[in-house]
């Protein structure tokens, strides 16, 4: 396809008659069949694909949001009609039905193309641990693609499909995105069903989504993230907590960052901090140590025993059917005890309390997705340590229950890794997925990088991902709560933001009330002799509104105030009895004028 492989571009081509789903899917199939990067383990036949195409009859992009959109499925996720291998031929089985998430996507009009390569049993971040061949990087085939969702990432980067499914236990849905210049969404744990997924660590696994644009991730996410009552770890959606345009983001202390000698990657990371600042962010240094301590629990602690639990009968019957590196990793779990598990759970809970407090200082944290990248030969020569290096920034994410998005941020210049992509990860508390998607969209538009391994730009008509709106209440203030005045802190400490400086309609009288300090005005509506009074409108988080109102002393209270544009907004008004002993200052037009006169 000559146009970008994005949902909006494909649907535009369908609507114009330039392309049909049958044409596109068979073009994708031909490209997949010609692939030489070890992306695929199995592909649907033309006859099998036709059954999905037949299901689109009578429909269009207007009623099916993923109408005719080709996608790929990591081969530890079930697709009816193809075996599930988890990259282990002796383990292969024929699933009776597709995984729950796959069913949701197909029902929305998406068309599966086939099953993609992975690190065996989703154990690895490198993409070389597969008897189906080491999946090669989409930019430079000498380098690793990242794992374990290697084929799924490369299929998207090379435009063989529009989006793909991966899984993520320790970074498998993020590292391959960084290495192939695409985006990877590791949503909140439990939001996408893992029914029909061969588990790696059942309590931690997430199904993830790869795409070339944030808009495509945002289109697929709500369809994929349907609640599945059959999945014991499934969670219902909770609304995201919106962030302000002037958000705060955490940056690890410099001595906690590791780039493993990759100076070009370090340069790109600090450039990414500047980009976030250009998007309205304020950088705040955070302590990454509790996150890193939690990360070490994943492989040094008893969670590796979950990998054995997932395939114990198969593994114990004959471990030699697994690759040697998988035998080493999974086999080591046998020595873990129940005591080890509980002690690790207690330690994780301790670290989560500390890490959550650090994350609470900001709206989100930025890290490299991986500090560096390696050649395939390097990883084959040192499979354990180099894999561990790649998980430095990713291993803690599911243990600590955070949401995350991997974003491309440029290409290295100079050195032996020249022109290879580098990526960052933004992570936030659970259920902040929609916020991360919106910020990822802003990021992508700001950088304007080519899509995946192509040289195609982000199409200008790509839909904008809307930032979730905060649950807020606008409040009109006219006195000591005005910006810079003595009681303004009562707003700012509640994270209220100034949204408008204006006046009331010409129907109000203002009085300087008796008493003080602090000195306070009283605003009274009088449609006969009133004037326009200077005011400010502050946007207060709804959760903080009650405590703000509770601190307002009589005779003041909150009522409705009419602004110059005619809008009625909650604001400060005064009970008439409070005017006893007050001085009318209506003619001055506002409280600041009164204060200046008083202090003159």
């Amino acid at each position: 396809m000559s146009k970008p492989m994005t949902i909006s571009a494909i649907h535009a081509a369908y609507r114009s008659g330039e392309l049909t789903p049958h044409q596109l899917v068979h073009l994708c199939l031909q490209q997949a069949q010609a692939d030489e990067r070890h992306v695929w383990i199995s592909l649907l036949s033309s006859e099998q694909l036709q059954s999905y195409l037949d299901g689109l009859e009578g429909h269009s992009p207007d009623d099916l949001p993923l109408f005719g959109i080709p996608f790929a499925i990591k081969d530890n996720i079930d697709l009816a009609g193809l075996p599930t291998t988890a990259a282990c031929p002796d383990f292969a089985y024929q699933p009776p039905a597709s995984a729950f998430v796959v069913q949701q996507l197909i029902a929305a009009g998406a068309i599966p193309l086939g099953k993609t390569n992975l690190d065996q049993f989703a154990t690895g971040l490198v993409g070389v641990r597969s008897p189906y061949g080491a999946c090669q990087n989409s930019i430079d085939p000498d380098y690793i693609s990242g794992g374990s969702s290697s084929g799924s990432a490369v299929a998207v980067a090379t435009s063989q499909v529009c989006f793909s499914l991966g899984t993520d236990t320790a970074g498998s849905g993020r590292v391959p995105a960084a290495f192939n210049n695409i985006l990877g969404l590791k949503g909140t744990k439990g939001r996408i069903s893992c029914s029909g997924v061969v588990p790696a660590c059942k309590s931690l696994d997430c199904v993830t989504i790869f795409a070339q644009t944030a808009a495509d991730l945002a289109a697929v996410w709500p369809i994929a993230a349907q609640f599945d009552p059959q999945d014991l770890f499934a969670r219902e959606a909770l609304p995201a907590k919106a962030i302000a345009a002037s958000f705060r983001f955490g940056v690890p202390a410099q001595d906690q960052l590791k780039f493993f000698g990759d100076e070009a990657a370090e340069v790109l990371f600090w450039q990414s901090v500047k980009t976030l600042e250009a998007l309205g962010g304020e950088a705040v240094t955070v302590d990454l140590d509790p996150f890193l301590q939690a990360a070490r629990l994943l492989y040094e602690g008893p969670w590796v025993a979950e990998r054995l639990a997932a395939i114990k009968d198969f593994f114990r019957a004959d471990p030699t059917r697994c690759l040697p590196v998988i035998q080493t990793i999974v086999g080591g779990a046998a020595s873990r005890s129940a005591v080890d598990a509980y002690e690790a759970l207690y330690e994780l809970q301790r670290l989560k309390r500390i890490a959550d407090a650090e994350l609470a200082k900001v709206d989100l944290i930025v890290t490299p997705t991986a500090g560096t990248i390696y050649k395939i030969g390097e990883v084959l020569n040192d499979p354990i340590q180099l894999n561990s290096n790649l998980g430095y920034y990713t291993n803690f994410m599911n243990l600590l229950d955070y949401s995350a998005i991997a974003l491309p941020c440029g290409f290295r210049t100079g050195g032996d890794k020249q022109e290879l992509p580098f990526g960052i990860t933004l992570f936030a508390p659970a259920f902040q997925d929609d916020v991360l998607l919106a910020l990822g969209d802003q990021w992508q538009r700001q950088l304007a990088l080519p899509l995946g391994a192509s040289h195609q730009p982000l199409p200008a008509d790509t839909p904008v991902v809307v930032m979730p709106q905060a649950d807020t209440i606008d409040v009109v203030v006219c006195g000591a709560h005005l910006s810079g005045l003595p009681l303004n802190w009562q707003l700012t400490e509640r994270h209220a933001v100034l949204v408008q400086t204006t006046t009331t309609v010409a129907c109000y009288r203002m009085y300087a009330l008796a008493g003080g300090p602090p000195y306070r005005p009283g605003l009274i509506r009088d449609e006969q002799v009133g004037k326009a009074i200077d005011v400010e409108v502050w946007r207060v988080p709804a959760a903080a509104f009650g405590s703000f109102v509770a601190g307002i002393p009589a005779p003041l209270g909150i009522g409705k105030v009419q602004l110059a544009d005619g809008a009625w907004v909650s604001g400060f008004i005064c009970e008439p009895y409070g005017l006893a002993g007050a001085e009318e200052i209506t003619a001055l037009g506002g409280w600041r004028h009164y204060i200046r006169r008083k202090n003159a």
Side-chain angles (χ1 to χ4, degrees), residues 181-246:
N181 193 45
I182 60 172
L183 292 81
L185 177 66
K186 189 218 73 68
T188 297
K189 187 171 59 175
R191 286 288 291 112
I192 298 182
S193 169
C194 284
S195 295
V197 178
V198 178
C201 294
K202 197 175 184 69
S203 66
L204 301 178
D205 293 341
C206 294
V207 172
T208 60
I209 310 167
F210 295 109
Q212 293 186 5
T213 71
D216 283 358
L217 289 179
V220 174
W221 165 248
I223 298 166
Q226 296 294 311
F227 179 73
D228 175 12
Q230 301 305 311
D231 179 359
L232 299 181
F233 289 94
R235 297 157 84 180
E236 294 273 15
L238 293 177
K241 178 184 176 183
I243 63 173
S246 54

Side-chain angles (χ1 to χ4, degrees), residues 104-162:
Q104 307 311 303
L105 297 168
I106 293 171
I111 299 179
L113 200 65
K115 310 292 289 296
T116 54
N117 203 357
L118 67 151
D119 282 321
Q120 192 172 77
F121 291 113
T123 301
L125 294 172
V126 288
V128 305
R129 299 172 174 177
S130 172
Y132 298 97
C135 187
Q136 299 168 338
N137 187 279
S138 62
I139 309 295
D140 185 336
D142 288 338
Y143 281 83
I144 61 173
S145 57
S148 60
S149 308
S150 53
S152 286
V154 177
V156 168
T158 54
S159 299
Q160 297 182 50
V161 291
C162 181

Side-chain angles (χ1 to χ4, degrees), residues 365-376:
I365 292 176
V366 59
T367 68
T369 299
T372 190
I373 187 173
Y374 301 108
K375 288 185 175 180
I376 291 174

Side-chain angles (χ1 to χ4, degrees), residues 323-346:
L323 295 175
V325 66
I326 306 302
Q327 293 177 46
T328 300
I329 294 169
V330 175
S335 63
R336 301 293 181 177
S337 70
V339 172
D340 294 335
Y342 279 108
E343 288 180 341
L345 282 171
Y346 304 151

Side-chain angles (χ1 to χ4, degrees), residues 52-77:
Y52 291 106
L53 291 165
D54 290 344
L56 301 181
E57 289 296 326
H59 296 282
S60 74
D62 297 327
D63 68 317
L64 291 178
L66 299 180
F67 177 87
I69 301 298
F71 75 106
I73 302 166
K74 184 177 179 179
D75 198 15
N76 62 339
I77 303 172

Side-chain angles (χ1 to χ4, degrees), residues 139 143 261-269 271 373 409-423 449:
I139 309 295
Y143 281 83
D262 192 338
E263 295 179 1
E266 185 172 7
V267 170
L268 286 167
F269 175 73
Q271 287 178 2
I373 187 173
C409 70
F411 297 85
R412 294 167 174 83
T413 56
D416 61 340
K417 298 179 175 66
Q418 186 169 348
E419 300 305 321
L420 285 166
F422 177 77
L449 294 171

Side-chain angles (χ1 to χ4, degrees), residues 309-353:
I311 57 169
K312 63 180 185 300
D313 294 337
F314 174 82
F315 187 83
R316 287 171 175 166
D318 184 0
T320 65
R321 293 180 293 180
C322 298
L323 295 175
V325 66
I326 306 302
Q327 293 177 46
T328 300
I329 294 169
V330 175
S335 63
R336 301 293 181 177
S337 70
V339 172
D340 294 335
Y342 279 108
E343 288 180 341
L345 282 171
Y346 304 151
E347 175 64 3
L348 177 61
Q349 192 62 27
R350 183 186 74 83
L351 292 170
K352 180 167 174 57
R353 186 71 57 86

